[in-house]
Amino acid sequence: MQEPLSPSGRTVISVAHGELEAIVREPAAPTAAAVVCHPHPLAGGTLNNNVVYRLAKALVDGGAATVRFNFRGVGASTGAYGDGIGEEDDARAALDFLQARHPTLPLWIAGFSFGARVGLSVGARDPRVEKLLGVGLALKMFDYSFLSACTKPKAIIQASHDEYGAREAIEAAVHGMAEPKRLWIVDGATHLFPGQLDPFEAAAREAVGYLAATSP
Protein backbone atom coordinates (compact mmCIF):
# COMPACT_ATOMS: atom_id res chain seq x y z
CA MET A 1 0.00 0.00 0.00
CA GLN A 2 1.24 3.48 -0.83
CA GLU A 3 2.13 5.69 2.09
CA PRO A 4 -0.11 8.76 2.22
CA LEU A 5 1.49 12.00 1.16
CA SER A 6 1.18 15.34 2.89
CA PRO A 7 -1.03 17.86 1.05
CA SER A 8 2.16 19.60 -0.12
CA GLY A 9 3.49 16.38 -1.61
CA ARG A 10 6.73 16.88 0.30
CA THR A 11 8.52 13.72 1.32
CA VAL A 12 11.99 12.27 1.72
CA ILE A 13 13.75 9.50 -0.19
CA SER A 14 16.11 7.31 1.84
CA VAL A 15 19.63 6.98 0.42
CA ALA A 16 22.98 5.67 1.65
CA HIS A 17 24.13 9.16 2.64
CA GLY A 18 20.89 10.00 4.47
CA GLU A 19 17.89 11.33 2.61
CA LEU A 20 16.81 13.37 -0.41
CA GLU A 21 14.25 16.14 -0.16
CA ALA A 22 11.48 15.52 -2.69
CA ILE A 23 8.04 16.58 -3.90
CA VAL A 24 5.61 14.05 -5.31
CA ARG A 25 2.62 14.84 -7.51
CA GLU A 26 0.23 12.08 -8.56
CA PRO A 27 -2.79 12.30 -10.88
CA ALA A 28 -5.86 10.31 -9.93
CA ALA A 29 -5.14 7.44 -12.33
CA PRO A 30 -1.50 7.64 -13.42
CA THR A 31 -0.35 5.82 -16.52
CA ALA A 32 3.40 6.26 -15.95
CA ALA A 33 5.81 7.31 -13.21
CA ALA A 34 8.54 9.89 -13.88
CA VAL A 35 11.63 11.16 -12.06
CA VAL A 36 12.65 14.78 -12.79
CA CYS A 37 16.27 15.91 -12.22
CA HIS A 38 17.26 19.55 -11.62
CA PRO A 39 20.14 21.73 -12.96
CA HIS A 40 23.68 21.88 -11.62
CA PRO A 41 23.89 21.96 -7.80
CA LEU A 42 26.92 24.27 -7.89
CA ALA A 43 25.09 26.78 -10.08
CA GLY A 44 22.01 27.16 -7.88
CA GLY A 45 19.98 24.30 -9.34
CA THR A 46 17.17 22.97 -7.13
CA LEU A 47 13.88 21.12 -7.44
CA ASN A 48 12.20 24.55 -7.33
CA ASN A 49 13.81 25.69 -10.60
CA ASN A 50 11.12 27.21 -12.85
CA VAL A 51 11.83 24.88 -15.76
CA VAL A 52 11.86 21.81 -13.50
CA TYR A 53 8.54 22.89 -11.97
CA ARG A 54 6.93 23.40 -15.39
CA LEU A 55 8.39 20.12 -16.67
CA ALA A 56 6.97 18.20 -13.70
CA LYS A 57 3.61 19.94 -14.16
CA ALA A 58 3.47 18.89 -17.81
CA LEU A 59 4.24 15.30 -16.83
CA VAL A 60 1.53 15.20 -14.16
CA ASP A 61 -1.00 16.81 -16.50
CA GLY A 62 -0.05 14.15 -19.05
CA GLY A 63 -0.84 11.35 -16.61
CA ALA A 64 2.50 10.62 -14.93
CA ALA A 65 3.05 10.30 -11.20
CA THR A 66 6.09 12.53 -10.78
CA VAL A 67 8.83 13.09 -8.22
CA ARG A 68 11.27 15.99 -8.38
CA PHE A 69 14.00 15.95 -5.79
CA ASN A 70 17.05 17.82 -4.59
CA PHE A 71 20.37 16.20 -5.35
CA ARG A 72 22.75 15.50 -2.46
CA GLY A 73 23.88 18.67 -0.68
CA VAL A 74 21.04 20.79 -2.07
CA GLY A 75 18.28 22.20 0.15
CA ALA A 76 17.40 19.70 2.88
CA SER A 77 19.09 16.77 1.11
CA THR A 78 22.05 15.30 2.95
CA GLY A 79 25.50 14.74 1.52
CA ALA A 80 27.68 16.86 -0.75
CA TYR A 81 28.10 17.38 -4.49
CA GLY A 82 29.25 14.13 -6.10
CA ASP A 83 30.78 15.25 -9.43
CA GLY A 84 27.76 13.91 -11.33
CA ILE A 85 28.50 10.34 -10.25
CA GLY A 86 26.87 10.65 -6.85
CA GLU A 87 23.95 12.44 -8.48
CA GLU A 88 23.38 9.44 -10.74
CA ASP A 89 23.08 7.35 -7.58
CA ASP A 90 20.51 9.85 -6.29
CA ALA A 91 18.51 9.56 -9.52
CA ARG A 92 18.50 5.78 -9.21
CA ALA A 93 17.26 6.12 -5.63
CA ALA A 94 14.41 8.30 -6.90
CA LEU A 95 13.58 5.60 -9.44
CA ASP A 96 13.58 3.02 -6.62
CA PHE A 97 11.20 5.25 -4.66
CA LEU A 98 8.76 5.64 -7.56
CA GLN A 99 8.93 1.97 -8.46
CA ALA A 100 8.01 1.07 -4.88
CA ARG A 101 5.04 3.47 -4.96
CA HIS A 102 3.88 2.43 -8.43
CA PRO A 103 5.22 -1.06 -9.15
CA THR A 104 2.92 -1.65 -12.14
CA LEU A 105 3.63 1.61 -13.98
CA PRO A 106 6.29 2.17 -16.66
CA LEU A 107 9.17 4.33 -15.44
CA TRP A 108 10.32 7.47 -17.24
CA ILE A 109 13.15 9.83 -16.38
CA ALA A 110 13.46 13.52 -17.24
CA GLY A 111 15.83 16.35 -16.48
CA PHE A 112 16.93 19.87 -17.26
CA SER A 113 20.52 20.96 -18.07
CA PHE A 114 22.87 19.06 -15.72
CA GLY A 115 19.77 17.13 -14.68
CA ALA A 116 19.25 16.11 -18.30
CA ARG A 117 22.78 14.71 -18.43
CA VAL A 118 22.23 12.78 -15.21
CA GLY A 119 18.74 11.60 -16.11
CA LEU A 120 19.48 10.59 -19.69
CA SER A 121 22.65 8.78 -18.65
CA VAL A 122 20.89 6.83 -15.91
CA GLY A 123 17.80 6.20 -18.02
CA ALA A 124 19.75 4.93 -21.01
CA ARG A 125 21.47 2.29 -18.86
CA ASP A 126 18.75 1.32 -16.37
CA PRO A 127 16.57 -1.44 -17.84
CA ARG A 128 13.63 -0.32 -15.72
CA VAL A 129 13.40 3.04 -17.51
CA GLU A 130 11.33 2.95 -20.69
CA LYS A 131 11.29 6.57 -21.88
CA LEU A 132 13.59 9.62 -21.71
CA LEU A 133 12.89 13.35 -21.69
CA GLY A 134 15.76 15.84 -21.82
CA VAL A 135 15.51 19.64 -21.63
CA GLY A 136 18.33 22.11 -22.27
CA LEU A 137 21.10 19.68 -23.14
CA ALA A 138 24.39 21.37 -22.26
CA LEU A 139 26.25 20.12 -25.31
CA LYS A 140 29.29 22.30 -24.63
CA MET A 141 29.73 20.66 -21.22
CA PHE A 142 28.63 17.04 -21.58
CA ASP A 143 28.92 14.17 -24.07
CA TYR A 144 25.61 12.68 -25.19
CA SER A 145 27.01 10.25 -27.75
CA PHE A 146 25.79 7.34 -25.60
CA LEU A 147 22.29 8.07 -26.94
CA SER A 148 23.39 6.94 -30.40
CA ALA A 149 22.92 3.36 -29.23
CA CYS A 150 19.89 3.92 -26.98
CA THR A 151 16.69 2.76 -28.69
CA LYS A 152 14.36 3.92 -25.92
CA PRO A 153 11.91 6.67 -26.98
CA LYS A 154 13.53 10.07 -26.50
CA ALA A 155 12.00 13.56 -26.41
CA ILE A 156 14.37 16.54 -26.40
CA ILE A 157 13.40 20.18 -25.80
CA GLN A 158 15.92 22.94 -26.45
CA ALA A 159 15.98 26.74 -26.57
CA SER A 160 16.79 28.09 -30.03
CA HIS A 161 19.49 30.33 -28.55
CA ASP A 162 20.70 28.03 -25.78
CA GLU A 163 24.15 29.20 -24.69
CA TYR A 164 25.29 25.59 -24.25
CA GLY A 165 23.87 24.15 -27.47
CA ALA A 166 21.81 26.29 -29.83
CA ARG A 167 19.64 25.17 -32.75
CA GLU A 168 22.31 23.90 -35.14
CA ALA A 169 24.18 22.01 -32.42
CA ILE A 170 21.11 20.33 -30.92
CA GLU A 171 19.78 19.39 -34.35
CA ALA A 172 23.08 17.69 -35.14
CA ALA A 173 23.14 15.95 -31.75
CA VAL A 174 19.59 14.64 -32.06
CA HIS A 175 20.28 13.52 -35.64
CA GLY A 176 22.94 11.21 -34.22
CA MET A 177 20.62 9.68 -31.62
CA ALA A 178 18.97 6.33 -32.22
CA GLU A 179 15.29 6.22 -33.14
CA PRO A 180 12.65 6.74 -31.86
CA LYS A 181 13.27 10.40 -31.05
CA ARG A 182 11.77 13.84 -31.51
CA LEU A 183 13.11 17.37 -30.98
CA TRP A 184 11.23 20.51 -29.96
CA ILE A 185 12.83 23.95 -30.36
CA VAL A 186 11.48 26.88 -28.33
CA ASP A 187 12.09 29.86 -30.59
CA GLY A 188 13.63 32.99 -29.11
CA ALA A 189 14.56 31.32 -25.83
CA THR A 190 17.91 30.99 -24.06
CA HIS A 191 19.05 28.21 -21.73
CA LEU A 192 16.89 29.08 -18.71
CA PHE A 193 13.85 29.96 -20.87
CA PRO A 194 13.43 33.45 -19.32
CA GLY A 195 10.18 34.96 -20.53
CA GLN A 196 9.50 31.76 -22.48
CA LEU A 197 8.19 29.42 -19.79
CA ASP A 198 4.71 29.20 -21.31
CA PRO A 199 6.01 28.16 -24.76
CA PHE A 200 8.37 25.77 -22.99
CA GLU A 201 5.52 24.18 -21.05
CA ALA A 202 3.50 23.84 -24.26
CA ALA A 203 6.44 22.01 -25.84
CA ALA A 204 6.77 19.84 -22.73
CA ARG A 205 3.12 18.85 -22.95
CA GLU A 206 3.60 17.84 -26.57
CA ALA A 207 6.74 15.90 -25.63
CA VAL A 208 4.91 14.01 -22.88
CA GLY A 209 2.15 13.15 -25.31
CA TYR A 210 4.68 11.94 -27.85
CA LEU A 211 6.35 9.68 -25.30
CA ALA A 212 3.02 8.33 -24.08
CA ALA A 213 2.09 7.38 -27.64
CA THR A 214 5.47 5.89 -28.63
CA SER A 215 6.20 2.25 -27.94
CA PRO A 216 9.48 1.40 -26.25
Side-chain angles (χ1 to χ4, degrees), residues 26-205:
E26 295 171 329
T31 54
V35 169
V36 180
C37 302
H38 69 70
H40 208 296
L42 301 185
T46 77
L47 63 77
N48 294 314
N49 172 272
N50 287 334
V51 175
V52 169
Y53 172 81
R54 295 288 192 110
L55 179 57
K57 182 174 182 292
L59 283 159
V60 174
D61 290 346
T66 302
V67 60
R68 51 193 166 103
F69 66 97
N70 275 332
F71 285 124
R72 57 186 64 199
V74 176
S77 293
T78 59
Y81 175 61
D83 295 315
I85 299 170
E87 286 72 21
E88 290 190 5
D89 289 340
D90 293 343
R92 281 186 284 268
L95 287 169
D96 293 342
F97 171 84
L98 265 191
Q99 186 176 45
R101 282 190 69 81
H102 299 283
T104 64
L105 294 182
L107 289 177
W108 300 10
I109 196 163
F112 170 44
S113 192
F114 170 87
R117 178 60 174 78
V118 171
L120 294 174
S121 179
V122 168
R125 299 193 311 268
D126 193 315
R128 298 174 298 172
V129 177
E130 294 188 8
K131 300 182 182 183
L132 311 177
L133 175 50
V135 178
L137 275 59
L139 299 173
K140 292 183 179 179
M141 299 175 66
F142 304 114
D143 177 17
Y144 289 90
S145 61
F146 61 89
L147 292 175
S148 65
C150 175
T151 57
K152 298 177 182 183
K154 294 168 286 297
I156 307 297
I157 305 171
Q158 196 86 351
S160 64
H161 294 84
D162 193 305
E163 302 91 314
Y164 303 101
R167 184 188 300 271
E168 184 175 339
I170 193 65
E171 287 176 347
V174 172
H175 179 75
M177 296 177 188
E179 296 284 356
K181 63 195 176 186
R182 186 171 167 189
L183 170 65
W184 284 258
I185 298 287
V186 180
D187 285 323
T190 53
H191 186 66
L192 296 176
F193 297 92
Q196 300 288 335
L197 288 170
D198 287 345
F200 162 71
E201 187 176 333
R205 289 174 183 272

